[in-house]
Amino acid sequence: MSESLLQKFEFVRGKLSDWADLVEPVHSVTDKNRWGYRDKTTLSARFDGVEWQLGMWRRDEFIPIPYCPIHSSRLNGVLNAIRQAIPKSQSFALAYVVVSGAQVVLVIKSKQKPNVNWLNCQLVKELESFGVEGLWYHLNPSTGRRIFEKSGWHLIWGKPRSVDYNGLIYGPAAFQQLIPELYNQSLDLAEQFLQPSNRVAVVDLYCGTGNSMLRWVRQGASVIGVELGGEAVECARINVPDATVLRGACRHRVPQVRDWVNEKRMEGKSIVLYVNPPRTGLEVEVLDWIIAEGKPDRIAYLSCSPGTLSKNISYLAQNGYDVVRCIPFDFFPQTHHVETLVLLQKC
């Protein structure tokens, strides 16, 4: 554990070399909690002529991953139950198995919906014993790097929504952080820095199902969120009804965000920004809006890619912002991945 955390610490320091002295020790969980923590996964499926295997492709090699030690015992149980129950035939065009908490999706590389004769009472009881609440077919004949499409969803058993560790509703395609303890620590630090209140308006970009937005609203802040995924937007609007939630790429929603921010400034509220983008980082249009018009007083940026994070905060630092803290989080123990929360203040 100590070697892994040191490696991640040095990796972040190297990527954020201009702020190396500000990089804090990596926040992690106890040693025993670094195994069996993963309760969601996306695995490729391959039929070898005898049985189904679940794993990952590395170049042209398929690597089965049975009973992965970083998966929770519950998750491994779900995967094994599905693998044993589905039809043992290549004609069952299974491409991926996606488990997101209590929701399970079988991604079928076909336009034709397979029958569900294999879904018997014994399997249902087994899935229920593992806490599964919804089982889906997702028909996507072109599935590949893009696993899900908007259409093609079929609930074949159970209910379409579940409740996460913070009490928020989510669906089968929703993104969830893996270790609630660490994720909530990062939100605690962001909240302390952003100081949401009834005198503050928070712009929350890449807002997901609303975990962060709910924090700001509970402190009395006005909140607008932007999220690309349709399912996440639907859940966010239920989870945080007092927030304004826009669907679309953040760069496409800059005009609406601009109008909202201008309105809140007219009401005398200060503007702060929380962002949790994908690995590609902040879009150019978003960065340009921040610098030229948005000009939030404080920014909390949770990043899953120190490389794109470095580029983004370099741009912000050259245009009126000081980096205050850099706090790495070990959201993915036993892997090389590390996430970093950077707090920035307007000069």
Side-chain angles (χ1 to χ4, degrees):
M1 176 177 176
S2 60
E3 291 179 2
S4 174
L5 296 182
L6 178 60
Q7 183 272 329
K8 294 184 180 190
F9 171 71
E10 294 295 349
F11 176 65
V12 173
R13 277 173 54 91
K15 290 294 184 180
L16 305 182
S17 56
D18 289 344
W19 306 276
D21 291 343
L22 294 177
V23 177
E24 302 177 18
V26 180
H27 288 229
S28 190
V29 290
T30 59
D31 198 9
K32 67 177 182 179
N33 291 327
R34 292 165 58 78
W35 299 99
Y37 66 86
R38 191 179 184 104
D39 210 37
K40 59 169 288 186
T41 192
T42 299
L43 294 178
S44 296
R46 188 188 71 163
F47 185 67
D48 65 4
V50 178
E51 63 179 1
W52 284 97
Q53 296 178 330
L54 302 178
M56 306 183 79
W57 288 94
R58 183 174 177 85
R59 300 185 179 88
D60 295 327
E61 179 186 8
F62 183 83
I63 303 172
I65 308 178
Y67 298 102
C68 176
I70 66 170
H71 286 170
S72 67
S73 58
R74 186 201 79 89
L75 177 54
N76 278 328
V78 170
L79 293 170
N80 189 58
I82 294 292
R83 188 176 66 85
Q84 296 292 338
I86 57 179
K88 292 180 170 54
S89 169
Q90 192 68 53
S91 62
F92 186 78
L94 181 65
Y96 296 96
V97 176
V98 180
V99 181
S100 182
Q103 297 288 323
V104 179
V105 184
L106 307 183
V107 181
I108 308 297
K109 197 176 178 66
S110 172
K111 293 181 180 179
Q112 185 173 357
K113 178 183 174 183
N115 65 53
V116 292
N117 297 342
W118 54 273
L119 183 58
N120 54 40
C121 293
Q122 179 181 346
L123 175 60
V124 167
K125 288 181 180 179
E126 193 171 5
L127 293 177
E128 287 179 328
S129 73
F130 291 124
V132 175
E133 296 177 344
L135 181 61
W136 300 75
Y137 279 151
H138 177 61
L139 308 184
N140 185 1
S142 61
T143 189
R145 286 181 176 269
R146 184 181 176 89
I147 295 174
F148 294 144
E149 293 293 346
K150 294 179 182 178
S151 60
W153 290 91
H154 301 274
L155 181 66
I156 60 176
W157 170 77
K159 58 184 183 180
R161 298 286 187 269
S162 296
V163 176
D164 72 8
Y165 44 77
N166 285 331
L168 275 68
I169 294 170
Y170 69 94
F175 174 78
Q176 296 171 287
Q177 293 286 1
L178 295 175
I179 304 181
E181 175 186 345
L182 288 181
Y183 178 50
N184 286 334
Q185 281 182 27
S186 75
L187 288 178
D188 288 342
L189 292 170
E191 183 176 341
Q192 292 168 16
F193 181 71
L194 295 178
Q195 302 173 28
S197 71
N198 58 9
R199 299 184 298 276
V200 173
V202 185
V203 178
D204 192 319
L205 302 183
Y206 319 91
C207 65
T209 57
N211 268 290
S212 53
M213 291 194 300
L214 188 59
R215 292 269 188 137
W216 327 138
V217 166
R218 283 175 172 170
Q219 297 303 320
S222 300
V223 179
I224 188 170
V226 182
E227 170 59 42
L228 179 60
E231 176 189 278
V233 168
E234 290 177 13
C235 292
R237 288 171 176 166
I238 296 171
N239 292 327
V240 198
D242 293 329
T244 299
V245 185
L246 305 178
R247 181 180 179 182
C250 290
R251 67 181 184 276
H252 293 154
R253 292 293 172 257
V254 166
Q256 292 93 329
V257 171
R258 177 192 298 121
D259 292 344
W260 185 89
V261 165
N262 290 340
E263 178 184 322
K264 297 306 172 185
R265 280 209 169 103
M266 292 289 290
E267 296 173 5
K269 297 189 177 185
S270 63
I271 307 300
V272 299
L273 175 66
Y274 178 81
V275 296
N276 184 8
R279 297 188 67 82
T280 49
L282 298 179
E283 298 139 301
V284 172
E285 295 87 346
V286 172
L287 284 167
D288 289 344
W289 170 77
I290 293 171
I291 298 305
E293 299 174 89
K295 298 180 180 179
D297 296 323
R298 295 177 298 282
I299 302 172
Y301 185 150
L302 182 61
S303 168
C304 58
S305 171
T308 54
L309 174 64
S310 177
K311 294 176 183 177
N312 288 170
I313 64 175
S314 291
Y315 184 77
L316 293 170
Q318 292 165 14
N319 289 276
Y321 285 88
D322 289 329
V323 176
V324 178
R325 296 180 69 182
C326 301
I327 312 156
F329 284 89
D330 193 22
F331 285 173
F332 304 93
Q334 312 301 344
T335 77
H336 68 277
H337 297 293
V338 60
E339 300 215 4
T340 309
L341 176 66
V342 172
L343 307 178
L344 303 103
Q345 181 98 31
K346 188 165 67 173
C347 300

